[in-house]
């Protein structure tokens, strides 16, 4: 997969904020992709050597049967600290390296993190989608910003996630009686479509199969 990587990544929070503010209005939260979707992918991160080395994993699965068709790993030095709201600057450089190794280009990428459910509406899923121009969905395990009503316990239950009077995502229970996940548009995918694909990618467990497989690769030793 050929990627036009940024020539330089910011080293300070101030530089990162400036990039987020510049890119936020370029994010598309409507469906712009071809169907039927044949391949979905997950990206996830692990760290080695006390966090000084980033280890990125990509797992490409066939859709809708969710069978692994390709995986890749990439390592590079970590250049940005862990700061909530700025994970894309810490993680995307290695993710891009891993994506460059794959041959099958996914139709949609599910990211372990936020899309527009972010203070400046540019979480890792949105940022990655803009760079590679592939539809992305944010599937986060925890709440970063926003409020929502209580969620019923059954699978498929959802509530809007709002922030400053704007719907920025949804809280979705993917498995009965298990903690929900936080869904938001990344890039070129609407929220209803994002919810639909997340449910179809979570047939058994709380997290999408794409995320589960990428996580195992990223954390393996």
């Amino acid at each position: 997969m050929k990627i036009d990587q940024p020539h330089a990544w910011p080293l300070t929070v101030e530089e990162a904020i400036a990039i987020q503010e510049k890119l936020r209005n370029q994010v598309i939260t409507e469906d712009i992709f071809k169907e039927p979707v044949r391949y979905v992918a997950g990206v996830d991160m692990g760290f080695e050597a006390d966090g000084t080395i980033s280890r990125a994993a990509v797992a490409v699965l066939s859709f809708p049967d969710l069978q692994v068709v390709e995986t890749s790993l990439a390592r590079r030095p970590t250049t940005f600290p862990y700061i909530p709201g700025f994970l894309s600057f810490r993680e995307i450089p290695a993710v891009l390296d891993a994506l460059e190794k794959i041959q099958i280009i996914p139709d949609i990428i599910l990211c372990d993190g936020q899309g527009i459910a972010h203070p400046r509406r540019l979480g890792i899923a949105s940022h990655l989608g803009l760079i590679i121009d592939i539809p992305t969905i944010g599937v986060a395990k925890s709440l970063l910003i926003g409020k929502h009503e209580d969620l019923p316990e059954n699978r498929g239950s959802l509530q809007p996630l709002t922030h400053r009077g704007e719907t920025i995502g949804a809280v979705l229970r993917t498995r009965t009686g298990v903690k929900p996940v936080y869904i938001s548009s990344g890039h070129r995918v609407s929220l209803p479509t994002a919810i639909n694909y997340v449910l179809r990618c979570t047939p058994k467990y709380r997290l999408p199969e794409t995320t589960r497989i990428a996580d195992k690769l990223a954390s393996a030793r």
Side-chain angles (χ1 to χ4, degrees):
M1 179 176 173
K2 178 62 178 175
I3 297 173
D4 185 14
Q5 294 207 28
H7 293 295
W9 286 90
L11 299 177
T12 68
V13 169
E14 291 75 18
E15 291 172 341
I17 290 175
I19 290 173
Q20 290 175 338
E21 293 290 357
K22 178 182 178 181
L23 295 180
R24 61 182 293 174
N25 292 327
Q26 298 178 30
V27 175
I28 298 170
T29 56
E30 299 176 357
D31 294 329
I32 302 180
F33 60 89
K34 293 181 179 180
E35 293 190 286
V37 168
R38 297 179 59 203
Y39 299 104
V40 292
V43 297
D44 208 347
M45 290 292 301
F47 294 91
E48 302 174 358
D50 295 324
T52 60
I53 301 297
S54 299
R55 174 184 172 122
V58 175
V60 182
L61 281 61
S62 56
F63 186 85
D65 57 335
L66 303 177
Q67 299 299 305
V68 178
V69 295
E70 188 176 11
T71 63
S72 71
L73 282 170
R75 294 177 176 86
R76 70 152 58 193
T78 306
T79 58
F80 201 88
Y82 171 79
I83 305 173
F86 298 94
L87 294 188
S88 63
F89 301 99
R90 179 176 172 86
E91 299 184 357
I92 285 182
V95 168
L96 294 178
D97 291 345
L99 284 169
E100 283 196 317
K101 295 182 177 183
I102 64 173
Q103 300 299 313
I104 299 173
I105 298 177
D107 299 295
I108 297 177
I109 297 177
L110 285 74
C111 299
D112 181 28
Q114 313 290 346
I116 66 166
H118 180 276
R120 285 166 294 283
R121 307 297 187 258
L122 198 87
I124 186 170
S126 298
H127 198 168
L128 179 64
L130 281 173
I131 292 173
I132 62 177
D133 196 27
I134 288 178
T136 53
I137 298 170
V139 189
K141 295 189 286 288
S142 59
L143 179 70
L144 178 61
I145 60 166
K147 297 179 179 180
H148 62 88
E149 300 294 331
D150 291 339
L151 199 63
E153 290 292 321
N154 55 298
R155 169 179 162 83
S157 298
L158 61 91
Q159 289 286 354
L161 180 65
T162 61
H163 180 246
R164 297 176 180 171
E166 178 185 358
T167 297
I168 57 172
V171 188
L172 174 68
R173 203 177 299 281
T174 54
R175 188 179 180 192
T176 299
V178 173
K179 290 181 180 180
V181 292
Y182 299 84
I183 311 301
S184 56
S185 299
H187 182 54
R188 293 175 50 188
V189 180
S190 68
L191 181 58
T193 297
I195 293 167
N196 175 46
Y197 277 99
V198 171
L199 280 172
R200 295 174 72 182
C201 289
T202 52
K204 296 181 180 180
Y205 302 100
R206 177 194 179 207
L207 298 178
E209 290 299 292
T210 47
T211 300
R212 293 180 64 252
I213 294 166
D215 174 71
K216 289 180 180 179
L217 291 168
S219 59
R221 292 293 182 268

